[in-house]
Amino acid sequence: MKKRIVVKLSGSLFGLEDMKTLKQYAEFFVKMSKVCQPIIIAGGGKIARYYISHARSSGADESTLDELGIEVSRLNAKLLIYALQEKAYPHPPVNLKEVANAADTGLIIVTGGLHPGQSTNATAALIAEKVRADTFFNATDVDGVYDSDPNKNKNASKFKKIPIKKLRSMLVHQDSIAGGYDLMDIVALKVIERSRLKTRILKADTKILEKAIKGSPEGTEITLA
Ligand SMILES: Nc1ncnc2c1ncn2[C@@H]1O[C@H](COP(=O)(O)OP(=O)(O)O)[C@@H](O)[C@H]1O
Ligand SMILES: O=c1ccn([C@@H]2O[C@H](COP(=O)(O)OP(=O)(O)O)[C@@H](O)[C@H]2O)c(=O)[nH]1
């Protein structure tokens, strides 16, 4: 059986700016499917935050806002499925059991969020645990974990490796509101730790992802004591 690779794809890839991005990622994952089975979780991106902020201003509760984000992430997943055509399982699985059954088809799997109160990284970690993935890649809009937010602090320095306990202490203050959950949420970290998931946080770029899938130490590795 081919090794299973779980990739959480930043929602920023599903923006309206560059329509050819998804086609490039579809071609990339078809190429990678010759050496592994990609199992992809799509983020919600700006469109999710558009719906979340409007509904929040109307007084919707946080779990309702999370569900909006989940719906958008599932729409993003469908866009990638359409670009993958017959190489992909035909729709985004709706729960972990369906993900596991879908993975047994050997097809490329694409889904979105699954449950309120967490981010797509938590969903990706749960899926990696469920399908016994070889590695979980959080393909995000930064090239790894820094000692502070590199988008706010130009002097931040990047970790090649970071112990999960240190990462948790760095992120514990972040707010767990819908549309928040920057970088990794506490549910994702819990699942990575309990199942000792091999996890790497790296830039969402097909060339970098290809090198990482082939074993190159791209981005930041989360180490487990
Ligand atoms: N210590 C950190 N290292 C790297 N990025 C961080 C850190 N703290 C906060 N961030 C922020 O997390 C963002 C990535 O998380 P997120 O917005 O959830 O990305 P994604 O779109 O992949 O889900 C980065 O753009 C960065 O601004
Ligand atoms: O399993 C999930 C996945 C996502 N979300 C919601 O959907 C939003 C968009 O997902 P995420 O932030 O992970 O996507 P990103 O744009 O950061 O890639 C999240 O902020 C949550 O509000 C959720 O509630 N449960």
Side-chain angles (χ1 to χ4, degrees), residues 16-225:
L16 304 176
E17 298 81 38
D18 183 356
M19 301 301 266
K20 65 177 185 302
T21 304
L22 284 190
K23 194 170 179 318
Q24 287 167 346
Y25 271 87
E27 287 162 4
F28 167 70
F29 285 119
V30 169
K31 179 181 165 193
M32 285 297 104
S33 66
K34 293 178 174 57
V35 293
C36 68
Q37 182 180 16
I39 298 173
I40 304 150
I41 295 85
K46 284 185 189 149
I47 298 171
R49 285 156 182 89
Y50 167 82
Y51 282 98
I52 288 168
S53 56
H54 275 276
R56 185 175 279 129
S57 66
S58 304
D61 65 275
E62 287 301 310
S63 66
T64 300
L65 301 177
D66 276 335
E67 283 163 351
L68 277 177
I70 290 168
E71 285 182 56
V72 173
S73 69
R74 292 178 57 75
L75 286 172
N76 288 339
K78 285 183 176 179
L79 289 181
L80 186 51
I81 288 169
Y82 301 152
L84 286 162
Q85 299 176 354
E86 80 290 345
K87 301 285 187 185
Y89 184 76
H91 67 261
V94 295
N95 57 47
L96 291 175
K97 185 165 175 43
E98 188 185 355
V99 170
N101 293 337
D104 288 344
T105 66
L107 290 168
I108 298 172
I109 313 298
V110 193
T111 191
L114 290 181
H115 198 276
Q118 61 187 49
S119 77
T120 46
N121 276 314
T123 294
L126 286 162
I127 287 173
E129 184 181 66
K130 188 74 179 176
V131 304
R132 301 190 186 286
D134 180 81
T135 310
F136 162 28
F137 291 110
N138 173 7
T140 184
D141 58 4
V142 287
D143 63 351
V145 180
Y146 286 72
D147 55 6
S148 66
D149 186 340
N151 287 326
K152 292 177 185 155
N153 172 8
K154 292 298 160 224
N155 301 320
S157 54
K158 189 173 93 170
F159 294 99
K160 293 242 3 113
K161 295 185 178 190
I162 187 166
I164 193 158
K165 289 184 173 31
K166 180 168 180 57
L167 182 55
R168 184 186 296 114
S169 68
M170 283 169 61
L171 299 177
V172 71
H173 309 297
Q174 62 156 269
D175 48 10
S176 297
I177 58 168
Y181 309 108
D182 261 2
L183 198 64
M184 272 279 182
D185 62 54
I186 43 175
V187 175
L189 292 174
K190 262 279 159 242
V191 174
I192 290 165
E193 189 168 40
R194 76 181 184 187
S195 289
R196 305 186 63 75
L197 299 176
K198 208 161 72 178
T199 305
R200 198 168 276 283
I201 298 174
L202 72 175
K203 185 85 173 166
D205 170 279
T206 52
K207 291 184 182 55
I208 294 173
L209 264 171
E210 179 165 3
K211 287 197 280 186
I213 288 171
K214 289 179 176 171
S216 168
E218 303 300 320
T220 301
E221 177 190 352
I222 297 181
T223 58
L224 301 151

